Amino acid sequence: MYLTKEVKAEIFTKHGGKAENTGSTEGQIALFTHRINHLTGHLKKNHKDFNTERSLVKLVGKRRSLLDYLKKKDIVKYRELIVELGIRK
């Protein structure tokens, strides 16, 4: 399993402040990014898996919405998170 309890707690500790803070915008964006990277790797091997492709598109849309929200609320955190996660190339 690619997303264990420990990995999830580590993501939220690093980006959300503490492991119990699973509702923070930064933590959610980091978790979505982790999942998107995993699904992208899966789709490179299994290019005909259309259900995974649909899930990936939905996740990217959710992450985009959260990034837009964060950009409106705190532009400095937005820019730091973009650089830290390597979302923009």
Side-chain angles (χ1 to χ4, degrees), residues 10-26:
E10 179 185 328
I11 289 171
F12 282 113
T13 302
K14 185 175 180 187
H15 298 286
K18 55 185 174 179
E20 295 82 28
N21 191 7
T22 58
S24 69
T25 307
E26 297 88 353

Side-chain angles (χ1 to χ4, degrees), residues 29 33 36-37 60 63-71 75 78-89:
I29 292 170
T33 301
I36 286 169
N37 291 338
V60 169
R63 184 179 72 178
R64 178 76 257 158
S65 298
L66 284 174
L67 282 169
D68 289 342
Y69 170 78
L70 186 61
K71 189 176 181 179
I75 191 75
Y78 169 79
R79 289 180 180 152
E80 289 173 0
L81 192 63
I82 292 293
V83 170
E84 191 173 335
L85 295 175
I87 294 174
R88 303 281 178 266
K89 302 293 182 209

Side-chain angles (χ1 to χ4, degrees), residues 35-45 52 56 60:
R35 291 174 62 193
I36 286 169
N37 291 338
H38 174 75
L39 290 178
T40 302
H42 172 78
L43 282 173
K44 285 181 182 176
K45 296 178 200 165
T52 301
L56 177 65
V60 169

